Amino acid sequence: MPSRLNRRQFVRSGAAAAGLGLAARADGAPAILQSRPRPVVIASTNGHTRLHDGNESCVARAFRLMTGGTDVLESLIAGVNIVELDPKDTSVGYGGLPNAEGVVQLDSCCMHGPKKRAGGVAALEGVRTPSKVAYAVLQNTDHHLLVGAGAQKFARQMGFQVEDDLNTDTSRKLWLEWKRRLDPEHFLDPEKRAQASFDAGWSMVRDGLIDRDHFFGTINCDGINAKGEICGVTTTSGLAWKIPGRVGDSPILGAGLYVDGEVGAAGSTGRGEANLYGLCSFLIVEQMRAGRSPKDAGMEALRRVRANTIEKRLLHEGKPKFGLNFYILNKNGEFAGVSMYESSFAVCTENGPETRKTESLIEGKEPNW
Ligand code: ASP
């Protein structure tokens, strides 16, 4: 795993153009000092911990491509493809944990700041890299979101390989185990059934069968280059064992991702329903537009989510019983990772990729359900 870029790579990558740059003037007048953003790519933690079968993580690849001149969004998508294709990441793409019927349904969206374009897919079956299909929606259609069978048909028409089943042996085995733990009668009243379903899944997390980050889990990745071009992408298999057709926050513009090329970007992982209720990525970008720092804007969104969480089933000792993270950057290249409880995020600058702690609203670890 490349930890640091050496000086030559750094200069070649164009990262040296960050910070204060000299603007050349055609009329020969003295050069004007102008401030340029420092290029940066941020992501959820799996953006640095997942390597698939290579030795480069999502943020490292995205940063390398972006600073080498590749379009920012194309760089970010190439980064998240690593995680989507990794069968060991059971929260994203191929091998993502399936829905209650054992079918893997994937969600993704992307936004291009300079081009002011967006694309997304939801409940897409059979394509390992939904982020690429979301990008195809952005590039080839007048629409922003295609879902279900329509999204799959579009993907096929665009030349994507559509597979019958995106389960791996691991994800299928885990689904069968979840079925076994659920009331075998399967005739609980709907409220109890929803809770039983969640309890069965969470007991698998407690038993160490599923990593907590993969029971929930998603990847969001945002970047800004030295020209100040900002883009973002989010991709997920959604909540494990969800009701078929359930779509969370990830593919919804303003919720799982929001980019305004003139202001900044924000994206999320965690309990999608909590984020959807407040369209928090949009809220965060609007807070930054009003002058707040990435961290303060993110904290405001978390406070809102906390205030909106009043149902007993979602509370533990009066506090939200779930995790929610936001990854945020502004047009100056300042960034933050914020979360409801202690967590981490991935970042890559000219100093190389690393994992950092988020700023959390509530001290301590997320409580067990
Ligand atoms: N936010 C995703 C969803 O609700 C899941 C996650 O990130 O945990 O679908």
Side-chain angles (χ1 to χ4, degrees):
M1 185 187 322
S3 55
R4 291 185 161 253
L5 302 177
N6 65 33
R7 191 177 147 68
R8 190 180 310 151
Q9 283 170 323
F10 168 55
V11 172
R12 203 183 325 125
S13 74
L20 289 179
L22 289 176
R25 282 189 48 171
D27 60 5
I32 300 163
L33 274 180
Q34 68 178 35
S35 166
R36 296 208 194 152
R38 175 189 187 211
V40 60
V41 173
I42 55 169
S44 41
T45 312
N46 47 358
H48 186 42
T49 51
R50 287 286 160 202
L51 301 173
H52 190 199
D53 48 12
N55 60 3
E56 199 175 37
S57 67
C58 162
V59 288
R61 177 186 285 182
F63 187 85
R64 175 176 57 78
L65 292 174
M66 180 183 89
T67 52
T70 303
D71 174 80
V72 177
L73 184 53
E74 287 177 13
S75 306
L76 302 177
I77 289 173
V80 299
N81 289 163
I82 295 172
V83 185
E84 290 177 321
L85 293 171
D86 188 343
K88 292 195 284 305
D89 192 308
T90 52
S91 72
V92 179
Y94 175 58
L97 292 177
N99 64 22
E101 286 174 2
V103 177
V104 180
Q105 289 188 327
L106 305 174
D107 306 327
S108 178
C109 74
C110 58
M111 292 185 80
H112 199 291
K115 291 186 183 158
K116 300 206 181 291
R117 296 190 65 168
V121 288
L124 171 66
E125 296 174 15
V127 182
R128 295 184 183 204
T129 52
S131 65
K132 283 190 174 174
V133 187
Y135 189 49
V137 172
L138 177 153
Q139 282 185 304
N140 299 293
T141 79
D142 176 43
H143 309 316
H144 284 160
L145 182 61
L146 298 179
V147 307
Q152 190 189 57
K153 198 173 197 179
F154 170 78
R156 190 174 273 121
Q157 287 164 348
M158 288 290 126
F160 285 89
Q161 191 193 347
V162 177
E163 300 173 60
D164 285 344
D165 187 3
L166 292 185
N167 276 293
T168 55
D169 284 350
T170 307
S171 65
R172 189 175 298 102
K173 252 190 232 152
L174 288 168
W175 174 72
L176 286 168
E177 177 65 20
W178 171 78
K179 288 290 263 186
R180 194 185 63 71
R181 290 185 183 213
L182 201 55
D183 186 316
E185 301 293 333
H186 227 247
F187 286 113
L188 299 167
D189 78 49
E191 230 173 78
K192 283 195 188 140
R193 191 189 169 282
Q195 190 59 44
S197 153
F198 204 89
D199 288 348
W202 196 248
S203 71
M204 292 170 70
V205 176
R206 279 197 303 270
D207 291 351
L209 287 171
I210 306 172
D211 189 81
R212 180 239 164 264
D213 288 339
H214 297 156
F215 182 56
F216 301 94
T218 290
I219 183 163
N220 163 250
C221 187
D222 312 293
I224 180 167
N225 65 10
K227 288 192 251 170
E229 294 169 332
I230 308 171
C231 297
V233 59
T234 301
T235 174
T236 189
S237 53
L239 186 65
W241 333 133
K242 61 196 171 186
I243 294 175
R246 176 266 187 191
V247 172
D249 56 337
S250 305
I252 305 300
L253 305 180
L257 174 72
Y258 196 70
V259 177
D260 184 313
E262 268 65 60
V263 180
S268 68
T269 61
R271 184 176 154 77
E273 283 71 10
N275 178 16
L276 268 173
Y277 193 79
L279 290 178
C280 292
S281 291
F282 181 72
L283 171 68
I284 290 168
V285 171
E286 289 307 300
Q287 292 283 316
M288 292 196 289
R289 192 194 305 279
R292 284 196 153 164
S293 69
K295 182 193 144 196
D296 290 350
M299 285 298 174
E300 174 60 25
L302 289 167
R303 277 194 291 275
R304 284 242 196 137
V305 170
R306 187 175 179 177
N308 285 333
T309 306
I310 57 168
E311 283 183 70
K312 215 168 142 216
R313 70 189 174 94
L314 297 172
L315 293 166
H316 173 80
E317 295 174 353
K319 293 177 274 195
K321 202 159 62 160
F322 51 82
L324 185 59
N325 291 21
F326 295 107
Y327 314 94
I328 308 159
L329 60 79
N330 70 14
K331 64 172 193 282
N332 301 322
E334 295 155 345
F335 60 87
V338 303
S339 52
M340 191 64 81
Y341 292 95
E342 284 171 12
S343 186
S344 58
F345 70 110
V347 54
C348 190
T349 63
E350 72 277 15
N351 297 322
E354 59 179 310
T355 304
R356 292 196 191 177
K357 280 196 173 147
T358 54
E359 300 279 346
S360 63
L361 183 69
I362 302 173
E363 261 181 36
K365 301 229 171 311
E366 179 191 333
N368 274 352
W369 285 68

